[in-house]
Amino acid sequence: MALSRLRNPVISRGVSIARARFLSSTAPSRFLSRSSNGRASPTVDRKVSRSSSFPISTGACDNLLKHKLQIGVRFFSAGDVPHTVLGMPALSPTMNQGNIAKWRKKEGDKIEVGDVLCEIETDKATLEFESLEEGYLAKILVPEGSKDVPVGQPIAITVEEAEYIQKVPASVTGGSDAKAEKVSDQNIKSNDKVHETSSSKINTSELPPHVIVDMPALSPTMNQGNIAKWRKKEGEKIEVGDVICEIETDKATLEFESLEEGHLAKILAPEGSKDVSVGQPIAITVEDPNDIEAVKTSVGSSPIQEEKPVHQEAKTEIAPGKSSIQRISPAAKILITEHGLDISALKASGAHGTLLKGDVLAAIRSGKASPRPSSSKETPSHEVSQKPATKVPESRAAAQQPDSFEDLPNSQIRKVIAKRLLESKQNTPHLYLSTDVTLDPLLSFRKELKEQHDVKVSVNDIVIKAVAVALRNVPEANAFWDAEKGEVIRCDSIDISVAVATEKGLMTPIIRNADQKTISSISMEVKELAEKARAGKLKPDEFQGGTFSISNLGMFPVDHFCAIINPPQAGILAVGRGNKVVEPVTGADGVEQPAVVNKMRLTLSADHRVFDGKVGGAFLSALRLNFSDMRRLML
């Protein structure tokens, strides 16, 4: 199951043992195409005339070729039966490792041409790995749920005849010399991370035929998400295209659609679950409704409760004990330690048995929290100085005043904003340039549009158009820095990101090709995108990308400010409010006289690797001309 319904083949059907079909992705499909660039071994079968993205080698092969290029290696030694070792394929240009999301075939199953062997989660998408040859799946070398399997590492062994399955030597566990290198380390890492991705916590031998639904990666930057709402309940029928649940990502709240029919047997991540890692199981589906009760009985409680968070590695003196508490938040640990509370007397209200700070504070206020029994090591200290020991908790409690503040949970969007802004200030050399523009021509133009043409536009709509035209006139400013190449890349289109404040955080919907649109069309598009952003209904292509940003605080008493660049963009314009000032104005007779004019401060924050003083000055000069003569926006 996946959000996207695309199933575009991304690998040419050639000599390779298998091919891949596109399951789900947040990246454009063009990044998944792969040209034939692998070098074939001298022993490659030349009888197949179709091109191959991944060669198959017969006989003895070079170790490097096994690791980097091959999918299948056939062995015909005298002691072993003929068999083919399948390696982890490179299914995208940037892929160097992948995850085995699910094995569609079991050991001993018959394989026909076109059968899906397994589902592989790459750095771009989840792909179906299809067979191009007939045979039998003799041995699975990398179990379902394995993480970070390097490209080229053997994942399975196939044979041509069923009678060869039992004859596959037990020594073939890694398929090649790959196991002598980093395979063992990878397997250890995979075993340590199994709880994040697969059904290893569930005894699959006790379950009927089922499908485990994992938390999908619904945006390129998503590594965890929140279950905002389950649209389907346990036991309900699922049709193709039905929305199973709503997932809050680092960008927006998206609907998770089903690509297959079935029944929702068990919800593993309940509604409201926070920070569920990508690849972690969230539900189980079955095809036969009669299997629903069997799944519920076998699974029992949610396996996510057994997840081992990273913070538990740092051992503390607080242990869950025999209570229903599975995890303790850091803030709750501090309160328990300071007040010396007995954790067995506390009740957890958080998801998956998590003891929250509010639970501890509620217990303290109600008086139900009992002191923790002192250990034998603590007894001597209390006997020596009993009075100070009794006064310390009281003084701490008075100084702490836990009722004077409240912890507010952060949304995924705000977490990502905080991370990105910090990275931007740390890694991007900011250059700040400011200028004042006369606002009167813009206000007169806006009034004229309303009175003569009944077209209502905002000041920000005109600012967007003015910035877009200035970027067209100074194309050096419409660029970004490519860190990998170490060079400036100019953008072909002018796409303006407009900052919109929402309850969950700041969103930046994009006006595509803003220089080619009229001010009225820009105005309508801004209103539509702003409503979607506030409702959390923006599509990925409506907020991902952009070549330049605008942040306008003119509706507040803010004269000027410096905005932080939104990577990978190289510039953002901060727009302050308009102010009336007195300055000399040259009249028609050529004489300067004092006059009241409206001024607005514009501050450019630019990436100094892209903008130098000359480019920044040229951009602001072009922008000032646009504000002084509105007719330039019509050209």
Side-chain angles (χ1 to χ4, degrees):
M1 297 185 180
L3 179 66
S4 175
R5 282 181 252 186
L6 297 176
R7 287 179 176 264
N8 300 328
V10 297
I11 295 181
S12 59
R13 296 185 61 154
V15 189
S16 56
I17 289 295
R19 70 186 176 107
R21 287 194 302 173
F22 189 60
L23 269 184
S24 66
S25 173
T26 54
S29 60
R30 66 176 182 271
F31 295 114
L32 297 176
S33 60
R34 185 177 180 89
S35 61
S36 177
N37 54 8
R39 293 180 300 170
S41 168
T43 56
V44 171
D45 188 354
R46 302 292 183 181
K47 295 181 180 179
V48 182
S49 59
R50 292 173 294 179
S51 62
S52 171
S53 297
F54 307 99
I56 174 173
S57 303
T58 305
C61 301
D62 179 77
N63 287 337
L64 180 62
L65 183 63
K66 290 179 183 179
H67 282 280
K68 298 285 181 70
L69 298 177
Q70 73 191 37
I71 286 184
V73 181
R74 290 182 179 173
F75 295 87
F76 297 97
S77 62
D80 296 340
V81 296
H83 62 276
T84 301
V85 178
L86 302 184
M88 171 65 75
L91 302 180
S92 75
T94 58
M95 175 182 173
N96 52 26
Q97 59 187 15
N99 306 331
I100 303 296
K102 180 184 178 183
W103 279 99
R104 293 283 193 89
K105 293 291 185 179
K106 299 178 181 179
E107 291 185 358
D109 285 357
K110 170 70 174 176
I111 302 173
E112 300 289 346
V113 175
D115 284 354
V116 177
L117 301 178
C118 64
E119 295 177 7
I120 298 176
E121 180 182 340
T122 73
D123 57 342
K124 297 294 185 184
T126 300
L127 306 173
E128 289 181 342
F129 195 30
E130 295 184 1
S131 173
L132 291 181
E133 293 186 3
E134 296 181 357
Y136 294 83
L137 183 57
K139 190 173 183 63
I140 294 177
L141 303 179
V142 179
E144 184 171 296
S146 296
K147 282 275 193 177
D148 302 334
V149 182
V151 169
Q153 177 176 325
I155 61 174
I157 299 175
T158 63
V159 294
E160 295 182 358
E161 302 295 337
E163 61 187 20
Y164 294 154
I165 295 177
Q166 301 299 328
K167 298 180 181 180
V168 172
S171 59
V172 183
T173 56
S176 69
D177 295 334
K179 66 178 181 180
E181 298 183 25
K182 295 184 179 180
V183 177
S184 58
D185 294 337
Q186 293 292 340
N187 290 337
I188 293 174
K189 292 180 181 179
S190 299
N191 293 334
D192 291 339
K193 297 182 179 181
V194 160
H195 66 276
E196 296 179 0
T197 57
S198 70
S199 59
S200 60
K201 294 179 185 177
I202 304 170
N203 189 356
T204 55
S205 62
E206 300 178 359
L207 296 180
H210 64 282
V211 174
I212 294 183
V213 182
D214 295 336
M215 171 64 75
L218 302 180
S219 76
T221 57
M222 176 182 174
N223 51 26
Q224 59 185 13
N226 304 333
I227 304 295
K229 180 180 180 182
W230 279 99
R231 294 280 194 89
K232 293 291 184 178
K233 298 179 180 179
E234 291 184 357
E236 288 189 353
K237 171 72 173 176
I238 301 174
E239 301 289 348
V240 175
D242 284 356
V243 177
I244 303 175
C245 63
E246 296 178 5
I247 297 176
E248 181 186 4
T249 71
D250 56 343
K251 296 294 186 183
T253 300
L254 304 177
E255 296 178 340
F256 188 30
E257 295 184 1
S258 171
L259 285 181
E260 297 180 2
E261 296 181 358
H263 295 79
L264 184 57
K266 181 70 177 178
I267 294 176
L268 304 180
E271 190 171 293
S273 298
K274 300 289 186 180
D275 301 336
V276 181
S277 301
V278 170
Q280 183 173 324
I282 61 175
I284 300 177
T285 63
V286 295
E287 295 184 2
D288 190 349
N290 298 325
D291 295 335
I292 295 177
E293 292 300 326
V295 172
K296 290 183 178 180
T297 304
S298 300
V299 175
S301 60
S302 170
I304 294 181
Q305 294 180 354
E306 301 176 14
E307 180 186 358
K308 299 179 181 178
V310 176
H311 66 263
Q312 286 188 354
E313 295 176 1
K315 296 181 179 179
T316 62
E317 296 180 358
I318 302 172
K322 296 181 180 180
S323 65
S324 60
I325 298 173
Q326 301 296 326
R327 293 183 289 183
I328 305 174
S329 68
K333 286 182 182 179
I334 295 175
L335 287 177
I336 293 172
T337 303
E338 290 183 349
H339 293 272
L341 303 179
D342 184 5
I343 192 173
S344 61
L346 303 176
K347 293 183 179 180
S349 64
H352 323 308
T354 302
L355 182 67
L356 305 177
K357 179 181 178 181
D359 301 331
V360 181
L361 294 177
I364 294 174
R365 287 194 294 266
S366 63
K368 295 180 180 180
S370 58
R372 183 175 53 197
S374 59
S375 61
S376 58
K377 294 182 180 180
E378 295 174 347
T379 304
S381 63
H382 285 289
E383 292 177 355
V384 174
S385 56
Q386 186 174 359
K387 291 182 180 180
T390 56
K391 291 181 180 180
V392 171
E394 295 177 2
S395 61
R396 283 182 180 177
Q400 187 77 16
Q401 295 182 354
D403 295 336
S404 63
F405 63 90
E406 179 183 0
D407 286 339
L408 298 177
N410 248 346
S411 65
Q412 289 295 108
I413 295 176
R414 291 191 183 275
K415 290 179 182 179
V416 172
I417 290 174
K419 180 180 178 182
R420 293 288 180 80
L421 294 183
L422 179 61
E423 291 177 352
S424 177
K425 289 294 288 184
Q426 290 177 333
N427 301 328
T428 304
H430 281 56
L431 170 68
Y432 302 104
L433 300 173
S434 298
T435 187
D436 291 328
V437 297
T438 303
L439 203 55
D440 294 285
L442 184 151
L443 298 177
S444 300
F445 178 67
R446 180 170 175 248
K447 183 179 180 180
E448 180 182 347
L449 289 178
K450 182 178 179 181
E451 293 179 352
Q452 299 183 10
H453 305 283
D454 195 24
V455 176
K456 297 180 180 179
V457 297
S458 67
V459 172
N460 196 54
D461 300 331
I462 303 177
V463 170
I464 293 172
K465 179 66 175 181
V467 170
V469 173
L471 289 173
R472 185 179 62 193
N473 295 334
V474 186
E476 296 86 357
N478 191 44
F480 67 94
W481 178 260
D482 191 325
E484 293 183 359
K485 297 181 180 179
E487 60 186 21
V488 177
I489 306 297
R490 290 192 185 181
C491 302
D492 297 329
S493 60
I494 298 175
D495 304 326
I496 305 296
S497 301
V498 183
V500 177
T502 69
E503 293 181 357
K504 295 182 179 180
L506 194 68
M507 297 295 294
T508 53
I510 301 171
I511 308 298
R512 306 281 181 184
N513 299 308
D515 60 316
Q516 302 175 15
K517 296 179 179 178
T518 63
I519 298 176
S520 59
S521 64
I522 290 175
S523 177
M524 290 186 293
E525 192 169 344
V526 168
K527 292 177 182 177
E528 180 182 353
L529 292 175
E531 291 177 0
K532 286 186 177 181
R534 296 187 180 98
K537 300 297 182 182
L538 282 176
K539 298 178 181 178
D541 62 319
E542 292 175 331
F543 60 81
Q544 291 178 3
T547 62
F548 193 90
S549 294
I550 297 176
S551 181
N552 191 344
L553 294 180
M555 66 290 299
F556 300 103
V558 177
D559 294 328
H560 64 88
F561 65 101
C562 298
I564 301 177
I565 299 172
N566 181 24
Q569 297 177 10
I572 182 171
L573 187 71
V575 182
R577 68 172 177 174
N579 291 305
K580 292 184 178 181
V581 298
V582 177
E583 65 176 23
V585 176
T586 303
D589 55 358
V591 179
E592 288 188 349
Q593 294 183 351
V596 177
V597 296
N598 289 286
K599 288 282 189 175
M600 183 171 66
R601 173 68 61 88
L602 303 178
T603 303
L604 171 67
S605 302
D607 186 342
H608 212 333
R609 297 171 297 184
V610 178
F611 284 74
D612 53 18
K614 179 181 179 181
V615 174
F619 170 74
L620 290 181
S621 298
L623 191 57
R624 288 195 62 173
L625 287 175
N626 293 339
F627 278 97
S628 62
D629 188 357
M630 291 290 106
R631 291 174 297 180
R632 292 175 58 88
L633 305 183
M634 307 303 169
L635 300 177

